Amino acid sequence: WTFSLVGLFIVRNIWEDEYMSVENVLKAIQENNIEWVDFRFVDLAGRAHHISLPASAVDADTFVNGVAFDGSSIQGFRGIEESDMVMMPDPEATYVDPFTAHPTLNVMCDIFTPDGERYERDPRSIAVKAEAFLKESGVGTAAFFAPESEFFIFDDVRYES
């Protein structure tokens, strides 16, 4: 599966009636016996990437300091000389993964540089800027993004007429 540039970025939590603060996410981890927390982001090409941590390693500081990763391994991100990047978890974009063997909480993340600046090639950052432009320009008040799942049944099709 691949996702378009705007795909899989704004996933809302499954706890519909409750604002998902960091405290509520940590409480949900305990109450749902979550074993793994999967921190996710999507690159410019639409490929999903993730880092999974044991739930016991996730605390309030994880949501403040983020999860470090090597950006040089992500196509279109950064070179090896400036590869340090940080996934900042979005507590409002969490859901329990129904397809994993072990209870797993998926958390969508924003990408930041080690200096604390939003990374300009992060699709979620681009979406935030696009929505702000819509509002400022008066073109619209909100932007809605959805995944564009694409797959092909045939590698090649030939026919005669």
Side-chain angles (χ1 to χ4, degrees), residues 4 45 48 50 57 61 70 91 113 149 154:
S4 67
H50 71 105
D61 288 340
D70 178 9
T113 67
S149 302
F154 303 108

Side-chain angles (χ1 to χ4, degrees), residues 33 64 119 124 161:
N33 298 316
V64 173
Y119 185 52
R124 286 177 58 108
S161 58

